[in-house]
Amino acid sequence: MNMKQKLPSPLLALAVLLAIAICAAPTTAAVIRPGEVWLDTDGQPINAHGGGVLLHDGIYYWYGELKVGRTYLPGVNQKWGGTRVLAGGVSCYSSTNLNHWKKEGCVLPSNAENPDHDLACENVIERPKVLYNARTKKFVMWLHQDSPNYQAARSGVAISDKPTGPFEYLGSFRPNAGVWPVNVTPDDKLRAEKNFLARDFEGGQMARDMTLFVDDDSKAYQFYASENNSTMHVSLLTDDYLKPAGKYARIFPGRLMEAPAVFKRNAKYYLIASGCTGWDPNAARSAVADNIFGPWTELDNPCRGENAEKTFGAQSTFVLPVAGRPDIFIAMFDRWKKWDLQDSRHVWLPLEFDPEGRPTVRWQERWSLPLGGKQ
Ligand code: GAL
């Protein structure tokens, strides 16, 4: 007689149902509470703002601005209300399920000793993004490096042998010095007042808010808010991902977009971004393109639900494709606290597509992402 025969039949049915339910259930349900304080596995608030996520060897690495300390308004930013904390550097957390985040520490610290260093605490270190370069086997970080009044508008690059650092800072530059964009017009080349493209031709283009995107062919691109934030540029990187390759396009001219987040679905490129209102929220933007250099077609504000017209009080930073789930994307935003920047919150929401194929992000108090164990 075997075990099966010993069980009375209703109990057997229950046991079978239970077994099926257990097998079908995801091993991890990541409960995400947008805008609440998120704790790391040590029970400390996660501090990774304006960041992005890299998936490498089954582990997600979340990099962001380390914002610690008192928020102040530097005299040079009085007019426009550009509050600051001293730059802390770039933090990193790791996770296998997008729910439990282990603090890996500060992988690119700011420099407290040398006020002339790019990464001096008084300077700006924002919107870090990290890629893995399979050719060089290096992890490459790009970030927005700036002076306290945001007038330097440069891109900084750092590399590491490991995703958890330490990253070695290579320096900063204004991208694409001496190169016209692929879609330049004769008028764009004229030296006229407020023609930042022509003004900065020799010295390199202004680069503030930025993101990185790697295409299916491993080519990487930097998107940066340029021309004093009026126009975005999309710029191909060299094969080692360390420099601009010298091919770029102007996109969304005069549209004042920042906080770019780029992703690809079904051979189309999508961008989520914000308008330009500093730490204050505005209506998100979205756009689609068949070619990464454009033309890009603007779509509507992708946000839906309460406070959608202000992006749920937040600003985009990254769109994360969930590994092994071709149509699941997480839209990552920051809810900035202008007068207490270190307490700024993370707002992650599912990004879906409406029947017309437009990206939409619906507000949810809490939601869970079924992940089948290690991704
Ligand atoms: C925002 C930008 C942030 C930060 C802030 C400073 O517009 O997206 O990354 O630079 O301005 O006020």
Side-chain angles (χ1 to χ4, degrees), residues 221-292:
Y221 300 83
Q222 182 196 18
F223 286 70
Y224 56 89
S226 195
E227 303 178 35
N228 210 22
N229 286 352
S230 64
T231 296
M232 196 165 286
H233 292 178
V234 50
S235 169
L236 176 69
L237 304 186
T238 48
D239 286 346
D240 57 12
Y241 299 169
L242 297 180
K243 290 188 290 279
K247 181 179 182 188
Y248 73 108
R250 302 176 75 224
I251 56 175
F252 314 113
R255 289 288 292 139
L256 290 154
M257 282 158 82
E258 53 182 10
V262 178
F263 61 103
K264 193 176 185 182
R265 177 197 186 235
N266 294 346
K268 285 189 188 297
Y269 302 90
Y270 292 89
L271 170 130
I272 308 284
S274 74
C276 245
T277 54
W279 302 119
D280 299 324
N282 51 55
R285 318 274 182 89
S286 65
V288 62
D290 291 321
N291 184 311
I292 200 156

Side-chain angles (χ1 to χ4, degrees), residues 50 65 67 80-84 124 126-127 144 150 208-209 229 258-259 274-280 315-316 336:
E65 302 157 20
K67 289 201 177 306
W80 60 282
T83 55
R84 300 278 323 277
V124 169
E126 286 181 346
R127 300 195 176 267
H144 168 201
Y150 288 87
R208 293 199 183 109
D209 278 10
N229 286 352
E258 53 182 10
S274 74
C276 245
T277 54
W279 302 119
D280 299 324
Q315 186 186 27
S316 45
W336 302 113

Side-chain angles (χ1 to χ4, degrees), residues 62-305:
W62 178 4
Y63 302 89
E65 302 157 20
L66 185 55
K67 289 201 177 306
V68 184
R70 191 177 66 87
T71 299
Y72 62 97
L73 179 59
V76 285
N77 296 345
Q78 255 344 306
K79 271 203 195 125
W80 60 282
T83 55
R84 300 278 323 277
V85 290
L86 288 177
V90 178
S91 57
C92 174
Y93 295 81
S94 65
S95 175
T96 53
N97 60 12
L98 295 171
N99 191 22
H100 299 110
W101 291 97
K102 176 173 170 260
K103 184 178 178 174
E104 299 288 354
C106 183
V107 295
L108 181 72
S110 55
N111 188 320
E113 274 91 56
N114 180 2
D116 297 327
H117 195 278
D118 265 8
L119 303 183
C121 301
E122 288 74 19
N123 282 343
V124 169
I125 303 173
E126 286 181 346
R127 300 195 176 267
K129 306 288 178 299
V130 175
L131 301 178
Y132 176 65
N133 189 295
R135 284 184 187 215
T136 60
K137 302 203 170 7
K138 299 276 184 202
F139 294 84
V140 183
M141 177 190 293
W142 283 61
L143 50 85
H144 168 201
Q145 189 281 331
D146 223 321
S147 48
N149 63 358
Y150 288 87
Q151 291 309 301
R154 297 165 76 84
S155 295
V157 179
I159 51 168
S160 172
D161 293 329
K162 290 186 295 169
T164 51
F167 279 80
E168 180 198 346
Y169 188 65
L170 300 180
S172 71
F173 47 83
R174 281 193 168 185
N176 292 309
V179 186
W180 291 113
V182 288
N183 54 353
V184 72
T185 66
D187 275 0
D188 292 340
K189 294 186 177 179
L190 296 178
R191 295 225 175 223
E193 207 200 340
K194 301 246 165 94
N195 184 346
F196 296 101
L197 184 84
R199 183 198 70 181
D200 294 335
F201 177 74
E202 281 94 13
Q205 298 298 322
M206 297 176 86
R208 293 199 183 109
D209 278 10
M210 55 140 286
T211 196
L212 299 178
F213 170 78
V214 186
D215 212 339
D216 307 326
D217 59 2
S218 298
K219 293 216 176 299
Y221 300 83
Q222 182 196 18
F223 286 70
Y224 56 89
S226 195
E227 303 178 35
N228 210 22
N229 286 352
S230 64
T231 296
M232 196 165 286
H233 292 178
V234 50
S235 169
L236 176 69
L237 304 186
T238 48
D239 286 346
D240 57 12
Y241 299 169
L242 297 180
K243 290 188 290 279
K247 181 179 182 188
Y248 73 108
R250 302 176 75 224
I251 56 175
F252 314 113
R255 289 288 292 139
L256 290 154
M257 282 158 82
E258 53 182 10
V262 178
F263 61 103
K264 193 176 185 182
R265 177 197 186 235
N266 294 346
K268 285 189 188 297
Y269 302 90
Y270 292 89
L271 170 130
I272 308 284
S274 74
C276 245
T277 54
W279 302 119
D280 299 324
N282 51 55
R285 318 274 182 89
S286 65
V288 62
D290 291 321
N291 184 311
I292 200 156
F293 289 115
W296 283 80
T297 306
E298 265 199 68
L299 304 169
D300 298 334
N301 175 356
C303 299
R304 305 278 182 276

